[in-house]
Amino acid sequence: MSEKLFSEFEPVSSKQWKQQIQFELKGADYNETLVWKSPEGINVKPFYHADEPIETALVQTKASQFKIGQAIFVHDVDKTIARALDHIARGAECLCFTITDPQTNVMRLLESLPLDKINVHLALSFLSEAFVQQINLSAAQHPGKILVSLDPIGHLAQDGNWMESSEKDNFEALRKISSAAKNISIVGVNAALYQNAGAEMVQQLAYTLAHANEYFNQLGAQNQPVVISVAVGSNYFFEMAKLRALRLLFETLAQEYNHTSGCHLLVTPSKRNKTLYDYNVNMLRTTTECMSAILGGADTVVNLAYDALYHKDNEFGSRIARNQLLILKNESYFDKVNNPADGSYYIESLTHQLAEKALALFKEIEAAGGFIKQLTEGTIQRKIQESAQEEQLAFDQGKEILLGTNKYPNKADRMKDDLELYPFVKIKPRKTLISPIIERRLAEKMEQERLASEA
């Protein structure tokens, strides 16, 4: 099309828009009425215009290549294989296994999968050179298909203790594993922990960057992508910008270490805003969160089942979660264009501001001795707790709204007899090296009160 649309209309400048808005406000202050500040300290304007200076963030995202992931916890290998093949037949493109037992027959698991058609991600909660070497052998036959995440720092942050290993030092064990396994990624960063614990976005980005920097300091550049697991909430455009900023920041950091393999963003909806009561609303939340993940540049998106808080893994919940992604991909055509957020002044502005603020915080962390030192001192935990408490207060006061929970609740809803899983924070007194970072949902206290009052 050579003819420009709407060419008969005169362009409207930013100044003209503001004058019209000021007229409509009838004397009310423009900034106080229409400009709001996010928890990250970002001023969000009512409109963005081409004649205003917009800092663009040069981020390459490939929405056309995102994979539909399926999370599977490995307990019984035979049952896991059967479930995995069923998920593949129903549309899963990447299987994300969590393995906690080093005796798991991982070779048998991998040999049973059609690795020519799907990708596999393995998150391991232990350090075992022999175990990883088995995965490495399978990966040699299927290059680029298998990703492994080993994250002792994330384990320390979440559990309070380092991973068990044959070496006294987790990093020494990781170095040995890394040097022997050239066909697979080794380093993983569990950034989802920070979001689920209540950190605001600048903190999430800065902590993720500082977390990854500790691995680069210890291991140097990797010959495979670093797998970063990220959780996204319901702040639609901010979450897109967060993922774009994360990729931009990681690429900047990687250049300092000559790491050229990039990162793999494995994204899942947050647990923090999910609810026990009126649980079907969780499907609406996860749909927009998956949309943010795709448009923000996720490589793999693993949806969260609407009933994941209180039900064990089940066929129905998994099918609905997977079908949400299938609809976005095959019926809403979210995979038809790369860099879908490019050119949006709002998203570009958010991306730049989040990246700038996160980089400043990252530099503060490094100047104070680095991420592990601040974890050991309890600084990271304290900062996250402060942010979480502010968000919790906003929820308790009705400023942060979860429909069906603190606004328009269904008083007749009963959940006491449907709980297969305990949906609240579990207190387990034990000896730890540091205070762990605790994941906690906003609605927990309110839900506990409702459960206690059920007839």
Side-chain angles (χ1 to χ4, degrees):
M1 182 184 294
S2 58
E3 184 182 355
K4 290 186 178 181
L5 296 176
F6 309 116
S7 58
E8 65 270 26
F9 295 100
E10 290 292 328
V12 181
S13 69
S14 173
K15 183 178 180 181
Q16 288 173 299
W17 274 113
K18 286 181 180 177
Q19 287 174 341
Q20 182 63 36
I21 291 171
Q22 194 66 59
F23 173 77
E24 297 291 342
L25 287 174
K26 297 178 180 179
D29 184 85
Y30 173 87
N31 289 319
E32 290 183 4
T33 306
L34 296 180
V35 177
W36 60 275
K37 180 171 286 189
S38 77
E40 296 78 18
I42 293 174
N43 290 324
V44 180
K45 300 183 294 185
F47 74 96
Y48 292 77
H49 197 281
D51 65 12
E52 295 180 330
I54 300 291
E55 293 284 353
T56 58
L58 300 177
V59 185
Q60 293 297 313
T61 60
K62 297 181 179 180
S64 64
Q65 298 179 22
F66 91 90
K67 301 296 183 185
I68 297 173
Q70 180 70 53
I72 304 176
F73 183 86
V74 179
H75 179 63
D76 180 289
V77 172
D78 290 331
K79 291 180 179 178
T80 298
I81 292 170
R83 287 182 60 203
L85 295 175
D86 181 63
H87 290 317
I88 294 169
R90 293 170 179 265
E93 300 168 326
C94 178
L95 299 176
C96 302
F97 297 103
T98 298
I99 302 178
T100 59
D101 183 0
Q103 300 305 314
T104 300
N105 191 340
V106 71
M107 286 289 285
R108 184 160 175 275
L109 173 61
L110 294 174
E111 289 170 356
S112 302
L113 302 175
L115 293 177
D116 56 323
K117 298 179 180 178
I118 60 142
N119 294 344
V120 170
H121 173 255
L122 300 161
L124 311 182
S125 62
F126 53 87
L127 294 170
S128 168
E129 186 176 350
F131 190 91
V132 174
Q133 192 56 44
Q134 294 180 66
I135 303 172
N136 189 56
L137 290 173
S138 292
Q141 307 300 318
H142 303 278
K145 290 291 186 176
I146 301 176
L147 294 170
V148 176
S149 286
L150 290 171
D151 185 12
I153 299 174
H155 191 277
L156 173 67
Q158 187 170 27
D159 183 76
N161 291 310
W162 291 102
M163 286 182 174
E164 292 185 9
S165 72
S166 57
E167 305 290 337
K168 290 183 178 180
D169 185 336
N170 274 194
F171 290 117
E172 182 59 33
L174 204 56
R175 276 190 284 271
K176 287 185 176 181
I177 293 171
S178 179
S179 62
K182 298 299 184 183
N183 301 314
I184 53 178
S185 67
I186 291 297
V187 175
V189 175
N190 179 17
L193 172 64
Y194 311 129
Q195 202 282 343
N196 285 321
E200 43 89 352
M201 289 188 194
V202 169
Q203 290 174 328
Q204 293 173 44
L205 291 168
Y207 297 161
T208 302
L209 200 63
H211 188 151
N213 190 53
E214 293 286 357
Y215 287 123
F216 281 132
N217 278 329
Q218 293 288 339
L219 305 175
Q222 298 294 292
N223 63 352
Q224 297 286 341
V226 173
V227 179
I228 305 179
S229 300
V230 187
V232 293
S234 57
N235 196 340
Y236 188 65
F237 293 107
F238 267 72
E239 291 292 356
M240 289 183 213
K242 181 180 81 175
L243 294 178
R244 288 162 54 84
L246 175 56
R247 196 177 290 278
L248 179 67
L249 289 167
F250 182 86
E251 289 173 358
T252 302
L253 178 67
Q255 289 175 6
E256 298 298 316
Y257 293 92
N258 296 317
H259 172 82
T260 58
S261 301
C263 62
H264 184 98
L265 298 186
L266 195 158
V267 185
T268 188
S270 170
K271 295 177 184 176
R272 186 158 171 79
N273 64 350
K274 302 306 178 288
T275 55
L276 186 61
Y277 289 92
D278 211 350
Y279 49 76
N280 287 317
V281 180
N282 290 334
M283 279 189 274
L284 303 179
R285 297 180 182 120
T286 55
T287 297
T288 65
E289 288 160 3
C290 288
M291 291 165 69
S292 292
I294 298 166
L295 298 176
D299 295 294
T300 302
V301 183
V302 180
N303 198 8
L304 185 70
Y306 75 98
D307 59 348
L309 297 181
Y310 64 95
H311 271 170
K312 297 177 182 177
D313 286 347
N314 60 89
E315 193 277 334
F316 183 77
S318 295
R319 178 162 61 89
I320 293 297
R322 187 173 52 251
N323 284 351
Q324 289 172 258
L325 288 169
L326 285 168
I327 289 170
L328 290 176
K329 191 165 195 175
N330 299 324
E331 296 184 29
S332 301
Y333 308 117
F334 270 50
D335 65 335
K336 298 305 180 187
V337 63
N338 287 326
N339 305 310
D342 278 8
S344 166
Y345 302 140
Y346 180 37
I347 298 174
E348 293 278 12
S349 176
L350 292 179
T351 301
H352 177 76
Q353 291 182 75
L354 286 172
E356 286 288 308
K357 288 177 178 291
L359 185 60
L361 180 54
F362 165 74
K363 290 177 179 179
E364 290 179 17
I365 294 169
E366 292 304 304
F371 187 70
I372 293 177
K373 184 173 185 293
Q374 292 224 313
L375 262 183
T376 304
E377 294 172 349
T379 304
I380 301 295
Q381 296 90 320
R382 177 173 54 81
K383 293 291 187 181
I384 291 177
Q385 188 175 19
E386 289 172 358
S387 295
Q389 287 173 345
E390 287 182 15
E391 188 181 22
Q392 187 69 55
L393 180 62
F395 172 80
D396 294 341
Q397 294 176 342
K399 297 175 183 177
E400 179 80 17
I401 295 171
L402 294 181
L403 288 176
T405 300
N406 66 342
K407 194 174 183 66
Y408 308 126
N410 177 7
K411 299 295 185 182
D413 205 359
R414 297 288 182 270
M415 289 299 299
K416 185 183 294 185
D417 297 329
D418 291 331
L419 303 184
E420 294 178 355
L421 301 172
Y422 185 72
F424 308 114
V425 172
K426 295 178 181 178
I427 305 299
K428 184 181 177 183
R430 57 196 170 83
K431 186 176 181 181
T432 59
L433 292 174
I434 68 168
S435 296
I437 297 172
I438 306 298
E439 297 181 3
R440 190 185 304 272
R441 293 182 299 109
L442 287 169
E444 288 199 15
K445 182 181 177 183
M446 189 172 290
E447 290 171 349
Q448 286 174 311
E449 292 171 352
R450 285 188 65 176
L451 282 172
S453 65
E454 281 188 18

